[in-house]
């Protein structure tokens, strides 16, 4: 997941959960009340402000080691924070859908998931690229057509 934070000057700070160390991920789990990482990821997909703040906090602690989670706030979080999925996560979803589609000889499950993936994607072109990599590029053309 990529967490984006729009600062007062309009610049955007982007941090990725892929860059977290195991210790940082554990610190996030603990800061959120011993929430398992899987639940943290689910909450990020749901745009949960505490989860997004926790990831941003973990990255900030790299340069501000004494920064306490309880003191780290993001004013105006609704307009400043977003969480979006990355290419690897898109590919994971499509791989799972592909296995199901092959079992049923249909593309409808993949096609139904595309609007959701496009909304969550940090870069929407990653969705098309992942479809092409799966050999399902015809679904991109069907969408555009």
């Amino acid at each position: 997941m990529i967490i984006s934070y729009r600062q007062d000057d309009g610049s955007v700070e982007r941090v990725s959960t892929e860059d977290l160390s195991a210790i940082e991920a554990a610190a996030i789990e603990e800061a959120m009340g011993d929430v398992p990482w899987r639940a943290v990821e689910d909450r990020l997909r749901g745009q949960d402000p505490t989860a997004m703040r926790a990831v941003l906090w973990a990255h900030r602690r790299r340069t501000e080691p004494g920064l306490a989670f309880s003191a780290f706030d993001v004013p105006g979080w609704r307009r400043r924070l977003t969480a979006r999925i990355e290419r690897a996560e898109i590919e994971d979803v499509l791989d799972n859908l592909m296995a199901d589609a092959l079992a049923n000889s249909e593309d409808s499950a993949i096609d139904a998931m595309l609007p959701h993936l496009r909304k969550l994607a940090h870069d929407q072109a990653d969705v098309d690229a992942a479809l092409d990599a799966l050999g399902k590029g015809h679904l991109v053309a069907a969408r555009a057509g």
Side-chain angles (χ1 to χ4, degrees), residues 96-135:
N96 291 334
L97 288 171
M98 180 71 157
D100 189 47
L102 287 173
N104 296 317
S105 298
E106 60 183 46
D107 289 337
S108 61
I110 296 170
D111 202 35
M113 182 58 77
L114 290 178
H116 184 66
L117 285 175
R118 289 185 195 295
K119 181 178 179 184
L120 288 176
H122 174 66
D123 182 349
Q124 291 185 6
D126 285 345
V127 176
D128 295 342
L131 283 170
D132 285 336
L134 280 174

Short mmCIF file of all heavy atoms in Angstrom, two decimals, residues 96-135:
data_model
loop_
_atom_site.label_atom_id
_atom_site.label_comp_id
_atom_site.label_asym_id
_atom_site.label_seq_id
_atom_site.Cartn_x
_atom_site.Cartn_y
_atom_site.Cartn_z
N ASN A 96 -5.60 -14.49 -7.90
CA ASN A 96 -6.66 -15.23 -7.21
C ASN A 96 -7.93 -15.30 -8.05
O ASN A 96 -8.58 -16.34 -8.14
CB ASN A 96 -6.95 -14.62 -5.84
CG ASN A 96 -5.82 -14.80 -4.87
OD1 ASN A 96 -5.03 -15.74 -4.99
ND2 ASN A 96 -5.71 -13.92 -3.90
N LEU A 97 -8.28 -14.17 -8.66
CA LEU A 97 -9.47 -14.15 -9.52
C LEU A 97 -9.27 -15.03 -10.75
O LEU A 97 -10.19 -15.69 -11.21
CB LEU A 97 -9.80 -12.72 -9.94
CG LEU A 97 -10.36 -11.82 -8.85
CD1 LEU A 97 -10.43 -10.38 -9.35
CD2 LEU A 97 -11.72 -12.29 -8.38
N MET A 98 -8.05 -15.02 -11.27
CA MET A 98 -7.74 -15.81 -12.45
C MET A 98 -7.92 -17.30 -12.17
O MET A 98 -8.50 -18.02 -12.98
CB MET A 98 -6.30 -15.53 -12.89
CG MET A 98 -5.88 -16.29 -14.10
SD MET A 98 -6.72 -15.66 -15.54
CE MET A 98 -5.59 -16.19 -16.78
N ALA A 99 -7.45 -17.75 -11.02
CA ALA A 99 -7.61 -19.16 -10.66
C ALA A 99 -9.09 -19.52 -10.60
O ALA A 99 -9.51 -20.58 -11.10
CB ALA A 99 -6.93 -19.44 -9.32
N ASP A 100 -9.88 -18.63 -10.02
CA ASP A 100 -11.32 -18.86 -9.94
C ASP A 100 -11.96 -18.83 -11.33
O ASP A 100 -12.80 -19.66 -11.66
CB ASP A 100 -11.97 -17.81 -9.04
CG ASP A 100 -13.42 -18.12 -8.74
OD1 ASP A 100 -13.72 -19.28 -8.40
OD2 ASP A 100 -14.25 -17.19 -8.85
N ALA A 101 -11.54 -17.87 -12.14
CA ALA A 101 -12.09 -17.75 -13.50
C ALA A 101 -11.76 -18.97 -14.34
O ALA A 101 -12.59 -19.46 -15.10
CB ALA A 101 -11.59 -16.48 -14.18
N LEU A 102 -10.54 -19.48 -14.22
CA LEU A 102 -10.15 -20.66 -14.98
C LEU A 102 -10.96 -21.88 -14.55
O LEU A 102 -11.35 -22.70 -15.37
CB LEU A 102 -8.66 -20.95 -14.82
CG LEU A 102 -7.72 -19.98 -15.55
CD1 LEU A 102 -6.27 -20.27 -15.18
CD2 LEU A 102 -7.92 -20.07 -17.06
N ALA A 103 -11.21 -21.96 -13.24
CA ALA A 103 -12.00 -23.08 -12.74
C ALA A 103 -13.42 -23.04 -13.28
O ALA A 103 -14.05 -24.08 -13.50
CB ALA A 103 -12.02 -23.07 -11.21
N ASN A 104 -13.92 -21.85 -13.54
CA ASN A 104 -15.29 -21.69 -14.04
C ASN A 104 -15.35 -21.33 -15.52
O ASN A 104 -16.44 -21.06 -16.04
CB ASN A 104 -16.02 -20.60 -13.23
CG ASN A 104 -16.17 -20.98 -11.78
OD1 ASN A 104 -16.51 -22.12 -11.47
ND2 ASN A 104 -15.89 -20.06 -10.89
N SER A 105 -14.20 -21.27 -16.19
CA SER A 105 -14.12 -20.90 -17.60
C SER A 105 -14.84 -19.59 -17.90
O SER A 105 -15.62 -19.48 -18.84
CB SER A 105 -14.70 -22.03 -18.48
OG SER A 105 -13.96 -23.20 -18.31
N GLU A 106 -14.60 -18.58 -17.06
CA GLU A 106 -15.24 -17.29 -17.30
C GLU A 106 -14.36 -16.15 -16.80
O GLU A 106 -13.51 -16.34 -15.93
CB GLU A 106 -16.61 -17.22 -16.64
CG GLU A 106 -16.56 -17.40 -15.13
CD GLU A 106 -17.93 -17.41 -14.50
OE1 GLU A 106 -18.84 -18.08 -15.01
OE2 GLU A 106 -18.08 -16.72 -13.48
N ASP A 107 -14.59 -14.97 -17.34
CA ASP A 107 -13.86 -13.78 -16.95
C ASP A 107 -14.70 -12.84 -16.10
O ASP A 107 -14.24 -11.77 -15.71
CB ASP A 107 -13.40 -13.00 -18.19
CG ASP A 107 -12.28 -13.71 -18.94
OD1 ASP A 107 -11.58 -14.54 -18.32
OD2 ASP A 107 -12.13 -13.44 -20.14
N SER A 108 -15.93 -13.19 -15.80
CA SER A 108 -16.84 -12.27 -15.13
C SER A 108 -16.35 -11.84 -13.75
O SER A 108 -16.54 -10.69 -13.36
CB SER A 108 -18.25 -12.86 -15.04
OG SER A 108 -18.24 -14.05 -14.28
N ALA A 109 -15.70 -12.75 -13.01
CA ALA A 109 -15.19 -12.38 -11.69
C ALA A 109 -14.11 -11.32 -11.80
O ALA A 109 -14.07 -10.36 -11.03
CB ALA A 109 -14.66 -13.61 -10.96
N ILE A 110 -13.24 -11.47 -12.79
CA ILE A 110 -12.18 -10.48 -13.00
C ILE A 110 -12.79 -9.16 -13.45
O ILE A 110 -12.48 -8.10 -12.93
CB ILE A 110 -11.15 -10.99 -14.04
CG1 ILE A 110 -10.44 -12.23 -13.51
CG2 ILE A 110 -10.14 -9.89 -14.38
CD1 ILE A 110 -9.59 -12.94 -14.54
N ASP A 111 -13.69 -9.23 -14.42
CA ASP A 111 -14.33 -8.04 -14.94
C ASP A 111 -15.08 -7.28 -13.85
O ASP A 111 -15.05 -6.05 -13.81
CB ASP A 111 -15.27 -8.42 -16.09
CG ASP A 111 -15.55 -7.26 -17.02
OD1 ASP A 111 -14.64 -6.44 -17.23
OD2 ASP A 111 -16.69 -7.19 -17.52
N ALA A 112 -15.73 -8.01 -12.94
CA ALA A 112 -16.48 -7.37 -11.87
C ALA A 112 -15.56 -6.67 -10.87
O ALA A 112 -15.95 -5.67 -10.25
CB ALA A 112 -17.34 -8.41 -11.14
N MET A 113 -14.34 -7.16 -10.72
CA MET A 113 -13.41 -6.60 -9.75
C MET A 113 -12.66 -5.39 -10.31
O MET A 113 -12.12 -4.58 -9.56
CB MET A 113 -12.41 -7.67 -9.31
CG MET A 113 -11.41 -7.23 -8.27
SD MET A 113 -12.14 -6.62 -6.74
CE MET A 113 -12.58 -8.16 -5.97
N LEU A 114 -12.61 -5.21 -11.61
CA LEU A 114 -11.81 -4.15 -12.22
C LEU A 114 -12.14 -2.74 -11.73
O LEU A 114 -11.22 -1.98 -11.41
CB LEU A 114 -11.89 -4.22 -13.75
CG LEU A 114 -11.16 -5.42 -14.36
CD1 LEU A 114 -11.34 -5.42 -15.87
CD2 LEU A 114 -9.70 -5.45 -13.98
N PRO A 115 -13.42 -2.35 -11.63
CA PRO A 115 -13.68 -0.98 -11.14
C PRO A 115 -13.13 -0.76 -9.72
O PRO A 115 -12.59 0.30 -9.42
CB PRO A 115 -15.21 -0.88 -11.15
CG PRO A 115 -15.65 -1.91 -12.14
CD PRO A 115 -14.65 -3.02 -12.05
N HIS A 116 -13.25 -1.77 -8.88
CA HIS A 116 -12.74 -1.67 -7.51
C HIS A 116 -11.21 -1.55 -7.51
O HIS A 116 -10.65 -0.72 -6.80
CB HIS A 116 -13.19 -2.89 -6.71
CG HIS A 116 -12.81 -2.86 -5.28
ND1 HIS A 116 -13.32 -1.94 -4.38
CD2 HIS A 116 -11.95 -3.63 -4.56
CE1 HIS A 116 -12.79 -2.14 -3.20
NE2 HIS A 116 -11.96 -3.16 -3.28
N LEU A 117 -10.54 -2.37 -8.32
CA LEU A 117 -9.08 -2.30 -8.40
C LEU A 117 -8.62 -0.95 -8.93
O LEU A 117 -7.64 -0.38 -8.45
CB LEU A 117 -8.53 -3.41 -9.30
CG LEU A 117 -8.54 -4.81 -8.70
CD1 LEU A 117 -8.09 -5.82 -9.75
CD2 LEU A 117 -7.65 -4.89 -7.48
N ARG A 118 -9.31 -0.44 -9.93
CA ARG A 118 -8.94 0.87 -10.49
C ARG A 118 -9.09 1.97 -9.45
O ARG A 118 -8.28 2.89 -9.38
CB ARG A 118 -9.77 1.19 -11.72
CG ARG A 118 -9.40 0.33 -12.90
CD ARG A 118 -10.17 0.73 -14.16
NE ARG A 118 -10.07 -0.31 -15.16
CZ ARG A 118 -8.95 -0.69 -15.75
NH1 ARG A 118 -7.83 -0.10 -15.46
NH2 ARG A 118 -8.96 -1.66 -16.64
N LYS A 119 -10.12 1.88 -8.63
CA LYS A 119 -10.34 2.90 -7.59
C LYS A 119 -9.25 2.84 -6.53
O LYS A 119 -8.78 3.86 -6.04
CB LYS A 119 -11.71 2.69 -6.94
CG LYS A 119 -12.02 3.71 -5.87
CD LYS A 119 -13.40 3.49 -5.29
CE LYS A 119 -13.66 4.50 -4.20
NZ LYS A 119 -14.94 4.27 -3.55
N LEU A 120 -8.82 1.63 -6.17
CA LEU A 120 -7.83 1.47 -5.12
C LEU A 120 -6.39 1.62 -5.60
O LEU A 120 -5.49 1.84 -4.80
CB LEU A 120 -7.97 0.09 -4.46
CG LEU A 120 -9.18 -0.10 -3.56
CD1 LEU A 120 -9.23 -1.53 -3.07
CD2 LEU A 120 -9.13 0.87 -2.39
N ALA A 121 -6.17 1.51 -6.89
CA ALA A 121 -4.80 1.52 -7.43
C ALA A 121 -4.14 2.88 -7.28
O ALA A 121 -4.75 3.91 -7.57
CB ALA A 121 -4.80 1.10 -8.89
N HIS A 122 -2.89 2.86 -6.87
CA HIS A 122 -2.09 4.10 -6.84
C HIS A 122 -1.88 4.58 -8.27
O HIS A 122 -1.98 5.76 -8.55
CB HIS A 122 -0.75 3.83 -6.15
CG HIS A 122 0.17 4.99 -6.18
ND1 HIS A 122 -0.08 6.16 -5.53
CD2 HIS A 122 1.35 5.17 -6.83
CE1 HIS A 122 0.90 7.01 -5.76
NE2 HIS A 122 1.78 6.43 -6.54
N ASP A 123 -1.59 3.66 -9.17
CA ASP A 123 -1.42 3.97 -10.59
C ASP A 123 -2.37 3.06 -11.37
O ASP A 123 -2.15 1.85 -11.45
CB ASP A 123 0.03 3.73 -11.01
CG ASP A 123 0.31 4.07 -12.46
OD1 ASP A 123 -0.66 4.31 -13.22
OD2 ASP A 123 1.49 4.08 -12.84
N GLN A 124 -3.41 3.60 -11.94
CA GLN A 124 -4.42 2.80 -12.63
C GLN A 124 -3.86 2.02 -13.81
O GLN A 124 -4.38 0.98 -14.17
CB GLN A 124 -5.59 3.68 -13.06
CG GLN A 124 -6.39 4.18 -11.87
CD GLN A 124 -7.63 4.95 -12.27
OE1 GLN A 124 -7.97 5.03 -13.45
NE2 GLN A 124 -8.30 5.52 -11.30
N ALA A 125 -2.77 2.49 -14.38
CA ALA A 125 -2.14 1.77 -15.49
C ALA A 125 -1.61 0.41 -15.01
O ALA A 125 -1.47 -0.52 -15.81
CB ALA A 125 -1.02 2.60 -16.09
N ASP A 126 -1.34 0.29 -13.71
CA ASP A 126 -0.88 -0.99 -13.17
C ASP A 126 -1.95 -2.07 -13.32
O ASP A 126 -1.62 -3.24 -13.50
CB ASP A 126 -0.51 -0.86 -11.69
CG ASP A 126 0.81 -0.16 -11.47
OD1 ASP A 126 1.59 -0.02 -12.44
OD2 ASP A 126 1.07 0.26 -10.32
N VAL A 127 -3.21 -1.69 -13.27
CA VAL A 127 -4.29 -2.66 -13.43
C VAL A 127 -4.24 -3.24 -14.85
O VAL A 127 -4.29 -4.46 -15.04
CB VAL A 127 -5.67 -2.03 -13.14
CG1 VAL A 127 -6.80 -3.03 -13.40
CG2 VAL A 127 -5.73 -1.53 -11.70
N ASP A 128 -4.13 -2.37 -15.85
CA ASP A 128 -4.06 -2.83 -17.23
C ASP A 128 -2.81 -3.68 -17.47
O ASP A 128 -2.87 -4.71 -18.14
CB ASP A 128 -4.06 -1.64 -18.20
CG ASP A 128 -5.37 -0.86 -18.15
OD1 ASP A 128 -6.37 -1.40 -17.64
OD2 ASP A 128 -5.38 0.29 -18.61
N ALA A 129 -1.68 -3.25 -16.89
CA ALA A 129 -0.44 -4.01 -17.06
C ALA A 129 -0.55 -5.39 -16.41
O ALA A 129 -0.08 -6.38 -16.97
CB ALA A 129 0.74 -3.23 -16.46
N ALA A 130 -1.19 -5.45 -15.26
CA ALA A 130 -1.37 -6.74 -14.59
C ALA A 130 -2.30 -7.65 -15.39
O ALA A 130 -2.08 -8.85 -15.49
CB ALA A 130 -1.91 -6.53 -13.18
N LEU A 131 -3.34 -7.07 -15.99
CA LEU A 131 -4.24 -7.84 -16.86
C LEU A 131 -3.47 -8.39 -18.06
O LEU A 131 -3.62 -9.56 -18.42
CB LEU A 131 -5.40 -6.98 -17.34
CG LEU A 131 -6.52 -6.74 -16.33
CD1 LEU A 131 -7.47 -5.67 -16.86
CD2 LEU A 131 -7.27 -8.02 -16.02
N ASP A 132 -2.65 -7.55 -18.66
CA ASP A 132 -1.84 -8.00 -19.80
C ASP A 132 -0.91 -9.13 -19.39
O ASP A 132 -0.76 -10.12 -20.12
CB ASP A 132 -1.02 -6.84 -20.38
CG ASP A 132 -1.87 -5.86 -21.18
OD1 ASP A 132 -2.94 -6.28 -21.68
OD2 ASP A 132 -1.47 -4.69 -21.29
N ALA A 133 -0.28 -9.00 -18.21
CA ALA A 133 0.64 -10.04 -17.73
C ALA A 133 -0.06 -11.36 -17.50
O ALA A 133 0.53 -12.42 -17.64
CB ALA A 133 1.33 -9.57 -16.45
N LEU A 134 -1.35 -11.32 -17.16
CA LEU A 134 -2.14 -12.53 -16.95
C LEU A 134 -2.68 -13.11 -18.24
O LEU A 134 -3.30 -14.17 -18.23
CB LEU A 134 -3.34 -12.23 -16.03
CG LEU A 134 -3.08 -12.16 -14.55
CD1 LEU A 134 -4.34 -11.71 -13.83
CD2 LEU A 134 -2.63 -13.51 -14.02
N GLY A 135 -2.47 -12.39 -19.33
CA GLY A 135 -3.05 -12.85 -20.59
C GLY A 135 -4.52 -12.49 -20.70
O GLY A 135 -5.28 -13.11 -21.45
#
